[in-house]
């Protein structure tokens, strides 16, 4: 009887430990979002798990934006981003990014991309071509 209890205790401990280890090793799952314009995007990157999850899928997105401080390189969160198609003047994205990364799938075209952090606005133009990804880092003066 004692041997059976010991065996069950060992099996339970090993099985529970394996399940716990499997939960730790898996990166945080991200939910794909869709803007009212139909543009598919992901945001986040706070913490190593979120960054790893975004890195794992970034090849699926043709617009990759990063938000950081100019001097220190520290990542920023809560940046307001607006993306406008320059040909049609249609707004394709307008959101607050809760982490330092925004991945988006934009149709081919030219876009004005504005990012605002604590009142500081930075703007750039990006040309998205078919089968080609663009990356841009917005570097803000303040933390």
């Amino acid at each position: 009887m004692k041997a059976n209890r010991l065996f069950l205790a060992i099996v339970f401990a090993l099985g529970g430990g394996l399940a716990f280890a499997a939960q730790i090793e898996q990166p945080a799952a991200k939910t794909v979002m869709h803007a009212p314009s139909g543009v598919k995007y992901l945001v986040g990157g706070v913490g190593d798990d979120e960054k790893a999850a975004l890195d794992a899928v970034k090849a699926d997105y043709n617009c990759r934006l990063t938000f950081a401080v100019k001097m220190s390189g520290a990542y920023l969160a809560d940046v307001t981003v607006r993306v406008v198609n320059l040909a049609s003047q249609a707004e394709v994205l307008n959101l607050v990014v809760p982490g330092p990364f925004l991945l988006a799938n934009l149709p081919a075209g030219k876009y004005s991309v504005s990012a605002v952090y604590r009142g500081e606005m930075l703007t750039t133009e990006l040309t998205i071509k078919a089968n080609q990804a663009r990356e841009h880092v917005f570097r803000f003066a303040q933390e």
Side-chain angles (χ1 to χ4, degrees):
M1 188 69 138
K2 287 183 181 179
N4 285 343
R5 284 188 201 162
L6 179 60
F7 175 76
L8 289 175
I10 291 170
V11 169
F12 179 77
L14 289 175
L18 292 174
F20 180 73
Q23 288 176 349
I24 290 176
E25 291 179 21
Q26 292 178 348
K30 297 306 299 175
T31 302
V32 175
M33 306 294 288
H34 289 84
S37 64
V39 169
K40 180 175 84 168
Y41 68 94
L42 280 175
V43 294
V46 176
D48 292 337
D49 287 348
E50 276 192 24
K51 185 175 183 320
L54 290 174
D55 284 344
V57 297
K58 77 177 185 179
D60 298 335
Y61 295 86
N62 62 5
C63 179
R64 305 168 191 158
L65 305 178
T66 303
F67 312 101
V69 177
K70 187 182 294 186
M71 296 302 289
S72 69
Y75 289 137
L76 296 172
D78 301 323
V79 176
T80 301
V81 176
R82 183 170 186 251
V83 180
V84 175
N85 182 305
L86 290 174
S88 67
Q89 293 300 306
E91 181 179 86
V92 295
L93 276 178
N94 190 346
L95 68 146
V96 176
V97 180
F101 304 107
L102 166 63
L103 305 177
N105 258 337
L106 300 175
K110 288 188 176 189
Y111 296 89
S112 172
V113 183
S114 299
V116 179
Y117 181 73
R118 293 189 178 172
E120 180 182 1
M121 179 187 280
L122 302 176
T123 302
T124 191
E125 286 187 11
L126 293 179
T127 299
I128 303 294
K129 296 180 181 178
N131 301 316
Q132 183 181 13
R134 288 293 311 268
E135 295 190 20
H136 184 77
V137 179
F138 287 94
R139 293 179 174 88
F140 292 89
Q142 59 183 336
E143 280 193 57

